[in-house]
Amino acid sequence: MTNFSRGQKGKLADLGLSGAFNVLIDIDPAALVIDISCFGLDSTDKLSDERYMVFYNQLASPANEIRMSMAGRAASFALNLDALPAAIAKLVFVAAIDGGGTMRNVGASSMTLGEKVRFPWSGADFQDEKAVIVGEIYRKDGIWRFGAVGQGFSGGLSALLKHFGGTEAAPGASSAPPAAPPVPLPPTQQQAPLSLSKVTLDKRGDKVSLDKRSGSKGFGRIHVNLNWNRGATHGKAIDLDLGCMYELADGRPGVVQALGDVWGDFDRPPYMRLAADDRTGQSADGENLAINGDHFHDLKRALIFAFIYDGAPNWAATDGVVTIDMPEQAPIEVRLDQGGNQTMCAIAMIENRGGSMQVTKLADYFSQQGRESGHELMDRRFGFGLRWTTGSKD
């Protein structure tokens, strides 16, 4: 592994990197909420095709040349430089604070390219900036290179978007297409402004209500993602499992979880399906649950939960975050930031309130008491009335 310092540059080929590799940006947020993004710029350092801004609201470029996934406090970008359009000359990786605080509060952080190059940095390098341009991968004389930037930026993500020439959609406004971009990238025609909207439920009891879009059957595919820092505690990596207790509109209760191989069904009751469980802890995509929002009328409520299946119980070390995404709605983010050494966390409740969706942050934590498991205690707390028995994923 080659360590770079701020301002250092080098050709990717000389560093042992080819066209396809991963970029990992790992940040110690120190209780801050930090969004990590990648801007794909043209030869004038402008975002002439906004489909090449990859961030929490747009996780991939048009042909998956850049794909982003979250892993606790880190963001991983899978790159295929050879597949990028010729008009994309530079990839700029940035980190921006969402809310209060400054970059001087950030702890030890790094940007890593494959397993070849590492650029370490920390908040000690900055003052009161709200964002950092961490590093860039750029094409010069037809050759891809890496530059360790580490430059503070006074504004947040919205200011960065403006700096790079992008257009932000007004909150709540309809996305009318602007004029054609100055450097068109086929097959782009006119582009809608980028929405930076995001809903973060900070405190226990915080809630948000969403209405179906006019003329739509439901909410479309609702994607629930759980991600966390898989770092070892007491020598063992943390294995979190995502699950859901539900109650259908007809009163039938149930659970979807890897424990007991209860995966659910997307097209039939309970209209939710848990993706395959990652026992290795290596998947950057985390744990994922899909809810069929076109059958939202068949659902009364769904309790999203997580439990520590393996590794020492330590919620503070997980940096866990749940994101709830659906078409034409701002993503909803809930952080698992209030627990201790419990094994189970009731994260959020999704409820059908007369056809509208209400999402509430719960942040209730449970541990086994005597013969009663965390599952049973959580069930009793929220009144689903399920019957429980000892289970295993092995």
Side-chain angles (χ1 to χ4, degrees):
M1 181 80 71
T2 300
N3 277 344
F4 266 43
S5 56
R6 188 194 295 191
Q8 189 172 349
K9 300 178 180 180
K11 298 176 182 178
L12 294 186
D14 293 344
L15 298 169
L17 292 164
S18 58
F21 56 91
N22 288 343
V23 171
L24 181 71
I25 298 181
D26 184 15
I27 299 177
D28 179 356
L32 302 173
V33 177
I34 298 179
D35 296 317
I36 302 170
S37 310
C38 173
F39 288 82
L41 308 180
D42 61 26
S43 59
T44 66
D45 283 352
K46 294 301 180 184
L47 185 68
S48 55
D49 188 334
E50 293 177 349
R51 301 175 305 166
Y52 286 86
M53 179 183 174
V54 177
F55 68 120
Y56 55 79
N57 252 352
Q58 187 166 268
L59 295 174
S61 59
N64 286 320
E65 308 99 325
I66 312 164
R67 289 185 295 106
M68 175 185 176
S69 56
M70 296 299 298
R73 70 186 199 180
S76 178
F77 296 87
L79 306 183
N80 185 352
L81 301 181
D82 294 336
L84 284 170
I88 297 294
K90 181 183 291 186
L91 303 180
V92 178
F93 298 86
V94 305
I97 294 173
D98 180 9
T102 65
M103 278 296 172
R104 72 161 74 198
N105 302 123
V106 170
S109 305
S110 64
M111 176 177 181
T112 306
L113 282 65
E115 297 181 355
K116 303 295 185 180
V117 183
R118 183 173 182 269
F119 167 41
W121 57 279
S122 74
D125 300 325
F126 309 104
Q127 296 298 317
D128 295 325
E129 297 92 341
K130 299 287 289 185
V132 173
I133 298 175
V134 182
E136 57 188 26
I137 295 171
Y138 60 99
R139 186 159 34 197
K140 182 179 179 182
D141 300 326
I143 298 174
W144 285 103
R145 306 162 192 256
F146 168 62
V149 180
Q151 174 186 332
F153 191 88
S154 57
L157 186 57
S158 180
L160 278 163
L161 177 59
K162 184 177 180 180
H163 173 74
F164 290 125
T167 305
E168 180 181 356
S174 60
S175 297
V183 183
L185 299 174
T188 305
Q189 300 298 321
Q190 294 183 331
Q191 303 173 68
L194 283 166
S195 172
L196 302 185
S197 296
K198 179 177 63 171
V199 177
T200 300
L201 303 181
D202 290 316
K203 303 182 184 66
R204 178 180 297 174
D206 280 359
K207 59 189 63 179
V208 61
S209 294
L210 305 174
D211 292 322
K212 291 178 287 188
R213 294 298 184 187
S214 177
S216 64
K217 181 180 178 181
F219 289 92
R221 186 181 184 88
I222 303 168
H223 177 210
V224 181
N225 171 261
L226 167 67
N227 232 311
W228 69 97
N229 178 7
R230 291 155 179 78
T233 57
H234 303 291
K236 199 165 191 178
I238 299 172
D239 177 18
L240 286 187
D241 274 7
L242 178 68
C244 178
M245 292 184 191
Y246 62 83
E247 182 180 358
L248 299 180
D250 61 10
R252 285 180 292 167
V255 64
V256 172
Q257 61 176 7
L259 195 65
D261 291 329
V262 190
W263 302 101
D265 194 298
F266 187 79
D267 297 310
R268 295 188 294 272
Y271 302 110
M272 59 184 71
R273 173 75 181 178
L274 186 67
D277 180 48
D278 172 40
R279 295 300 307 276
T280 69
Q282 300 303 310
S283 173
D285 294 331
E287 300 255 320
N288 297 278
L289 172 74
I291 300 175
N292 190 337
D294 289 335
H295 280 272
F296 192 69
H297 58 279
D298 292 311
L299 180 68
K300 181 178 181 180
R301 57 178 178 152
L303 168 61
I304 306 300
F305 67 85
F307 64 97
I308 300 178
Y309 183 80
D310 207 1
N314 184 356
W315 289 101
T318 67
D319 293 321
V321 60
V322 164
T323 305
I324 303 172
D325 277 303
M326 65 201 82
E328 299 184 54
Q329 302 279 3
I332 301 169
E333 185 177 272
V334 182
R335 293 187 174 270
L336 285 59
D337 52 7
Q338 297 170 316
N341 61 355
Q342 306 91 339
T343 55
M344 171 91 48
C345 176
I347 301 167
M349 184 74 78
I350 299 174
E351 296 174 276
N352 185 336
R353 295 294 184 94
S356 295
M357 180 189 301
Q358 180 174 286
V359 182
T360 305
K361 179 172 180 175
L362 301 176
D364 281 344
Y365 294 83
F366 304 88
S367 285
Q368 181 165 331
Q369 295 181 7
R371 293 186 177 181
E372 285 191 296
S373 68
H375 282 81
E376 291 174 287
L377 294 169
M378 184 170 65
D379 181 1
R380 184 195 302 171
R381 166 70 176 81
F382 295 100
F384 284 88
L386 299 171
R387 297 177 62 185
W388 297 95
T389 186
T390 303
S392 171
K393 296 196 295 182
D394 297 318

